[in-house]
Amino acid sequence: MKRRQFIIGTGALAAASRAAQAADDVVIGVVYPLTGNGAAVGLDAKAAYEVAAKIINDTHAPIGVAMGKGGGLDKLGGAKIKLVFADSQNDPQKARAEAERLITQDKAVAIVGSYTSATGATISQVTERYEVPYISADNSSPSLNQRGLKWFFRTGPHDEMFTKGMFDFLADVAKKTGKPAKSVALFYEDSIFGTDSSNVQRKLAAAAGLPVAADIRYRASSPSLSTEAQKLKAANADVLLPSSYTSDAILILKAMNEIGYKPKAILAQAAGFQESAFMQGAGALAEGAMSRSSFALDADKLRPAIPVVNGLYKAHNNKDMNDNTSREITALLVLADAINRAGSAKPDDIRKALIATDMPGSQTIMPWAGVKFDETGQNTMCNPVIQQVFDGTYKTVWPFDLAAKDVVWNVGS
Amino acid sequence: MTLETVLQVAAGGLLMGLIYALVAAGLSLIFGLMDVVNFAHGELMMLAMYAVFVIWQASGLDPMLQLPIVAAMLFLGGMAIYRGMIARALGVQFNRGMVQIFVTFGLAIFIRGAAQFVWGGEFRSVTNTWLSDRSLNLAGVYFPLPQLAAAAVCLAAFAGLLLISRTEFGKALEATREDREAVALIGIDRDRIFALGWGLGAGAVGIAGVMLAGFYYVGPNVGASFALIAYVTVALGGFGSMGGALVAGLLIGEVEAFTAVVLEPSLKQIGVFGVYLLVLMFRPRGLFGKL
């Protein structure tokens, strides 16, 4: 007994002395486009990470998510997460340089990023070289986790999973309404995101026996998309599948409207279509558009933490969480949970803890089954949802058991 | 490809080409006058677009009614830029060419950063204007009203620039362009002509910005993609030539539109730069250049 008491005693003493030391902050680098064409998304992302850090670090009433009890990392003596932001300007080479700077100068023990897949690709090369974990919150290109990287972890779905969800939805909606889509049109920007997305869509369309009526690769941020719109009109497919960032998403809707064309159904690969700037810019033209999403703001019955976290985010950034910002908050919470379980801020320990992650969906704000990484670093339990615009806001319409609204399906009528 | 598609694409190229031409006109005017390339040209257009957005948001005033206000603001802004920065850059003794490049280049980056600071990185749009989201349907070919109005205003602006060149001031402008040292001898205030030239150049791109704001999103980087095309337009049409800018703008609009049809949309700049290189090879001074 004495021996056991002694062990407990010294354990408590050690814990007390550890707490007495001011626990060192754990520095996490965050790379996003904070200026330039992606700045709107990047600045929202910055706000999202700040909210996530607040949830982890501050003292507050417990929130029903991982690390939601606040007060810092308890297994590291209450150490706080310290975020250092870097601006990639949406340029893969600048992203690479900034990631390197964060690791070598700011001593970041992990990097989180980075919106566009092109920047995610270069950042994850740097983290691999320096042996620091890279948490991909919102890069959705499927090729990213297929490069044999040991330090790459993606908490959100990639476009193949997203796209599979989109085609599952098309099959389900055909069953439900009896009006199957008979053709699709691919419309995608010419960087890694659009190209990868279209490759998967082409493959899955072939598998589903859906003819591709138009296959249009366009130059991102073009001054005009009127010819592209004309091509889409000429093809007049049942479902338009755009993979576009915000400015192009606004522009193509306007360009199609200008030539008197309204596709029967738009099913977007999120990105620009999920941005609040898109909703403002496209206005009534966005009505009825559908988009895949990894997040459902209206799924608060399933995930009671959503309104709480959304309240914090809204107070901080004056808008609701969206597909991107929710994934960003989740990414940091998953990373912080791993660091805490590791009980160490050493990159190697963090990596081991990330590999061991097995978080149930109820510990997140996402409609996912959970967070669990496969050997490529991909979370395999993040199933997407399909949302549709009703009066300027996205409502979840699929999976049908999660739906907040009945889908409006104009194909075949 | 159906006839309808061909006509629709041609119409789109024509309308966009006129916008390109008007953006390029101001750039060409300033360059022709004083051999200074204004790298902040696209940013001036972006400022005009934001001005439209801000006034529209505050008062609901339709962009068409804002045209004289914003054009006047840009005119004064252009003169201020000349007086405050360019005149000083022209006065330096060493590396004058470099200084002139970097002063407008720096200005461009400053304006872009300031716009993001003030208005954020969000894309914004002026909606529910008199013309927005409406089109004229001519035998199956659609002409969007905002772009049609922009085209008309653009042609009017070119006519205006032509009229100005017939006036006393226009002659002084031409004379200053020909020999900036000699005009001082006959009592022309070179500084004043330059300042007015900058005012006109900025005013022209301001008009383009106002019309563009009626159907295009506004963001801190919106000027960049238009500016690139404007430089090509100016070089293609001939430095300093107004008529050249008009023809080159239309040419680029059509080449861009049809490259997107014949090749693929992601390659449309290949057509534009292909034509540009061809013209440079066989006619380095541009289509209508006087140099």
Side-chain angles (χ1 to χ4, degrees), chain A residues 74-395:
Chain A
D74 56 351
K75 300 217 176 103
L76 278 84
K80 306 275 191 248
I81 294 283
K82 186 184 169 205
L83 302 175
V84 180
F85 293 94
D87 180 12
S88 70
Q89 298 175 31
N90 227 347
D91 175 340
Q93 294 319 316
K94 293 205 176 78
R96 177 205 302 271
E98 287 298 300
E100 192 153 4
R101 187 180 61 78
L102 287 171
I103 297 168
T104 55
Q105 288 182 24
D106 293 296
K107 309 290 175 211
V109 296
I111 305 270
V112 189
S114 66
Y115 187 44
T116 55
S117 294
T119 53
T122 55
I123 296 169
S124 53
Q125 281 161 8
V126 172
T127 52
E128 192 73 11
R129 186 148 45 88
Y130 284 92
E131 307 199 322
V132 163
Y134 172 61
I135 312 298
S136 164
D138 45 10
N139 311 123
S140 63
S141 174
S143 62
L144 288 177
N145 62 311
Q146 301 297 344
R147 295 172 301 157
L149 301 183
K150 279 171 61 191
W151 297 83
F152 177 91
F153 296 89
R154 174 155 48 195
T155 44
H158 56 62
D159 286 333
E160 226 165 283
M161 305 167 80
F162 275 134
T163 311
K164 186 166 177 312
M166 289 157 73
F167 280 85
D168 287 349
F169 161 73
L170 289 179
D172 271 11
V173 85
K175 253 182 257 158
K176 184 182 158 122
T177 62
K179 291 170 185 164
K182 295 204 172 64
S183 61
V184 293
L186 309 188
F187 177 77
Y188 51 101
E189 54 101 44
D190 60 349
S191 85
I192 184 171
F193 158 65
T195 316
D196 276 359
S197 159
S198 73
N199 286 339
V200 183
Q201 290 179 338
R202 218 170 282 121
K203 201 167 76 188
L204 291 181
L210 276 170
V212 175
D215 189 324
I216 299 176
R217 178 174 135 114
Y218 70 91
R219 182 138 184 81
S221 303
S222 285
S224 159
L225 290 176
S226 55
T227 310
E228 289 82 345
Q230 180 57 36
K231 283 189 146 181
L232 290 174
K233 185 183 183 185
N236 194 22
D238 277 346
V239 183
L240 170 62
L241 300 172
S243 310
S244 304
Y245 291 121
T246 317
S247 55
D248 299 329
I250 298 173
L251 205 55
I252 189 62
L253 285 198
K254 288 196 172 207
M256 288 191 299
N257 178 61
E258 279 163 359
I259 56 168
Y261 175 54
K262 189 167 172 56
K264 278 168 248 164
I266 298 176
L267 183 56
Q269 188 74 274
F273 281 83
Q274 284 282 359
E275 288 304 313
S276 51
F278 162 76
M279 218 52 103
Q280 197 271 332
L285 297 180
E287 207 56 27
M290 289 171 271
S291 168
R292 55 83 167 165
S293 175
S294 42
F295 178 59
L297 185 62
D298 48 15
D300 50 340
K301 280 202 194 71
L302 187 72
R303 299 279 182 264
I306 289 176
V308 186
V309 177
N310 191 50
L312 290 173
Y313 180 73
K314 203 163 187 174
H316 190 60
N317 201 29
N318 203 21
K319 47 179 114 166
D320 288 319
M321 283 191 294
N322 65 16
D323 185 35
N324 290 327
T325 45
S326 61
R327 270 186 289 167
E328 287 145 7
I329 290 174
T330 303
L332 190 63
L333 295 180
V334 167
L335 173 62
D337 170 70
I339 298 174
N340 198 39
R341 274 188 289 110
S344 150
K346 287 203 192 77
D348 204 42
D349 297 336
I350 299 173
R351 176 170 172 266
K352 284 190 192 120
L354 279 167
I355 291 172
T357 300
D358 188 2
M359 191 185 283
S362 57
Q363 284 287 294
T364 71
I365 51 172
M366 312 308 279
W368 303 343
V371 181
K372 196 171 186 176
F373 299 106
D374 65 9
E375 68 283 1
T376 68
Q378 174 61 46
N379 178 11
T380 51
M381 296 167 77
C382 42
N383 43 307
V385 300
I386 302 291
Q387 300 187 308
Q388 189 168 29
V389 180
F390 292 90
D391 294 325
T393 45
Y394 272 110
K395 301 279 181 212

Side-chain angles (χ1 to χ4, degrees), chain B residues 162-235:
Chain B
L162 199 70
L163 280 179
I164 288 175
S165 71
R166 301 265 164 88
T167 62
E168 198 75 7
F169 165 69
K171 286 176 185 145
L173 206 73
E174 184 64 31
T176 314
R177 172 186 311 184
E178 302 247 314
D179 191 335
R180 61 173 81 166
E181 305 303 328
V183 290
L185 299 175
I186 53 169
I188 293 176
D189 181 355
R190 191 184 73 180
D191 222 32
R192 192 172 145 264
I193 297 292
F194 279 174
L196 287 171
W198 266 83
L200 277 181
V205 80
I207 292 173
V210 174
M211 298 317 294
L212 203 57
F215 61 93
Y216 206 79
Y217 61 85
V218 187
N221 294 289
V222 66
S225 47
F226 283 87
L228 181 66
I229 293 199
Y231 298 126
V232 177
T233 310
V234 170

